[in-house]
Amino acid sequence: MEFKSEKSIFIYFVFLILLGILGLMIFAYNIEDDTVGALIGIGIIGLVTCFLLHCFFNTNYTISETKLKFQCGVIKGEIPIEKIRKIEYNNSIFVAITLKLGWSHKGLIINYNQFDDIYISPKNRVQFVKHLLQINTNIIINK
């Protein structure tokens, strides 16, 4: 079963700001004499914006019979569902997690193996957790 990532309104504002900066740099490029410097700046902001948009539109989570697969742009991975120990519901903007592959402040912190964790934000968190619990009933849920 595949779940798309929920997207926070804050992320849309970040993209608008990046696109605004890119637009201003292109406008400034037409006015300034420093062609090389302007093109480098436009290239860097353009590449970062394209990478983030690619990640934004290509973030999903798939639950198979034995694995939880995740993809955020070019970042892909999988977790054996039997290795998941605990799932915590999270509603905070700031999350102290090594790998954050969610675009919303409403997400799940999945603890697996002994010390590994990942943050994801499926659109329907309750259905996502229920599906994982059908496969591994030993998962501890913290709301």
Side-chain angles (χ1 to χ4, degrees), residues 20-35:
I21 291 171
L22 184 61
L24 286 174
M25 290 183 79
I26 292 171
F27 177 74
Y29 165 70
N30 292 328
I31 297 172
E32 276 194 32
D33 294 332
D34 184 16
T35 307

Side-chain angles (χ1 to χ4, degrees), residues 10-76:
F10 174 74
I11 299 300
Y12 289 103
F13 286 123
V14 170
F15 282 125
L16 283 175
I17 290 169
L18 278 173
L19 292 173
I21 291 171
L22 184 61
L24 286 174
M25 290 183 79
I26 292 171
F27 177 74
Y29 165 70
N30 292 328
I31 297 172
E32 276 194 32
D33 294 332
D34 184 16
T35 307
V36 175
L39 286 175
I40 290 172
I42 290 169
I44 290 171
I45 296 292
L47 286 173
V48 168
T49 303
C50 287
F51 175 75
L52 289 175
L53 284 171
H54 174 67
C55 291
F56 185 73
F57 289 112
N58 293 304
T59 300
N60 57 59
Y61 321 103
T62 305
I63 300 174
S64 70
E65 297 201 13
T66 58
K67 294 182 181 178
L68 166 60
K69 298 177 183 179
F70 53 87
Q71 177 180 358
C72 180
V74 297
I75 302 168
K76 296 178 183 179

Side-chain angles (χ1 to χ4, degrees), residues 13 41 46 87 100:
F13 286 123
I87 297 176
K100 185 174 179 189

Side-chain angles (χ1 to χ4, degrees), residues 90-103:
N90 182 70
N91 292 318
S92 173
I93 291 175
F94 300 105
V95 182
I97 297 297
T98 308
L99 187 58
K100 185 174 179 189
L101 300 174
W103 292 97

Side-chain angles (χ1 to χ4, degrees), residues 3-8 11 59 61 68 86-97 99-111 117-129 132 140-143:
F3 295 84
K4 293 285 184 185
S5 178
E6 185 174 339
K7 293 160 177 85
S8 171
I11 299 300
T59 300
Y61 321 103
L68 166 60
K86 180 171 68 169
I87 297 176
E88 299 175 51
Y89 282 79
N90 182 70
N91 292 318
S92 173
I93 291 175
F94 300 105
V95 182
I97 297 297
L99 187 58
K100 185 174 179 189
L101 300 174
W103 292 97
S104 176
H105 65 281
K106 294 180 180 179
L108 301 169
I109 300 169
I110 298 180
N111 297 286
D117 53 19
I118 185 172
Y119 177 87
I120 61 173
S121 61
K123 276 191 177 180
N124 190 337
R125 295 187 296 175
V126 174
Q127 183 183 3
F128 185 86
V129 170
L132 287 174
I140 299 167
I141 307 298
N142 289 343
K143 289 192 176 188

